[in-house]
Amino acid sequence: MAEVASEVIVARTGRNCQRYEEKFRLVAGCIPYRLKATVENGADNLQDRLEVLMISSPNRQDLIFPKGGWENDETIVEAASREALEEAGVRGIIKEPILGEWKFRSKSRQNSSSSEGTCKGYMFAMEVTEELQCWPEQASHDRRWLCTSDAWKICRYDWMREALSSCVSFLSGQALFSSVKLAEPSSYFFPQQLNLLSTHSADDFFSPVTCYQC
């Protein structure tokens, strides 16, 4: 994987071009990953070789995966790639299909009982091919490579843990040249993770339950 010299990249700001679906703010993100060539114990299975990239936030000890608003002038894959570049300073190959769809409250609307301020997020796996030395949001986000078990422990949001589980399952399916299997959805998510082979509308899942922050 190449490490790229400094280049000037400017992060997008504001929400003038933000996509919405009904009252849901649409969000795209990814789980950047790489495979170590060798591991200390000599094992050659995916779980031991897989590392994921997480980012920090100011005044927080836990970590998250890069994500952000999906805008009108880009595809969902372009949005996920842009967020990885702006927040984590990496480029790579987005793996399709999506790992799942989740709904969660934005931080500013965490205590609201209405549907307003709720995000609908789509997450992908992204194979990292380049790491930039400098990136637009470097002052706000440090980055850190972790094994999946450590990432699970330090992840801020439960819905992101479920996305990580889906990512590992998805990559395991690819490695074995078998059909992709998603992790079983947890009962406490809002809504539960979608089965990508089925079609649902937001109304099928929306209910007045506690949501997690963006």
Side-chain angles (χ1 to χ4, degrees), residues 8 108 117 140 143 152 156 177:
V8 178
S108 62
S140 300
R143 64 189 180 194
W152 180 273
R156 182 178 307 169
F177 301 99

Side-chain angles (χ1 to χ4, degrees), residues 155-193:
C155 188
R156 182 178 307 169
Y157 304 122
D158 285 335
W159 72 268
M160 282 193 174
R161 289 190 180 93
E162 184 164 323
L164 176 59
S165 178
S166 292
C167 181
V168 173
S169 181
F170 171 77
L171 295 175
S172 297
Q174 281 202 330
L176 296 173
F177 301 99
S178 62
S179 59
V180 175
K181 297 179 181 179
L182 298 180
E184 289 297 322
S186 303
S187 59
Y188 50 82
F189 285 96
F190 172 48
Q192 297 174 344
Q193 182 180 338

Side-chain angles (χ1 to χ4, degrees), residues 70-196:
W70 174 13
E71 300 193 346
N72 292 325
D73 62 344
E74 59 189 353
T75 67
I76 190 170
V77 169
E78 290 171 340
S81 298
R82 174 177 55 78
E83 291 296 335
L85 181 62
E86 292 178 355
E87 295 188 344
V90 292
R91 292 190 175 102
I93 303 168
I94 293 288
K95 304 293 186 176
E96 297 187 72
I98 61 172
L99 298 174
E101 175 189 299
W102 290 265
K103 294 190 180 78
F104 46 90
R105 296 243 184 253
S106 64
K107 186 175 181 180
S108 62
R109 295 282 182 171
Q110 182 65 19
N111 297 321
S112 174
S113 60
S114 73
S115 61
E116 188 174 356
T118 303
C119 301
K120 180 186 288 186
Y122 305 90
M123 296 293 286
F124 294 88
M126 187 182 82
E127 180 184 357
V128 174
T129 57
E130 297 178 351
E131 291 185 51
L132 278 63
Q133 296 176 359
C134 301
W135 59 98
E137 299 184 23
Q138 187 172 7
S140 300
H141 302 295
D142 290 328
R143 64 189 180 194
R144 182 177 172 188
W145 286 103
L146 297 164
C147 66
T148 54
S149 59
D150 288 343
W152 180 273
K153 295 173 186 175
I154 205 169
C155 188
R156 182 178 307 169
Y157 304 122
D158 285 335
W159 72 268
M160 282 193 174
R161 289 190 180 93
E162 184 164 323
L164 176 59
S165 178
S166 292
C167 181
V168 173
S169 181
F170 171 77
L171 295 175
S172 297
Q174 281 202 330
L176 296 173
F177 301 99
S178 62
S179 59
V180 175
K181 297 179 181 179
L182 298 180
E184 289 297 322
S186 303
S187 59
Y188 50 82
F189 285 96
F190 172 48
Q192 297 174 344
Q193 182 180 338
L194 292 180
N195 182 332
L196 297 180

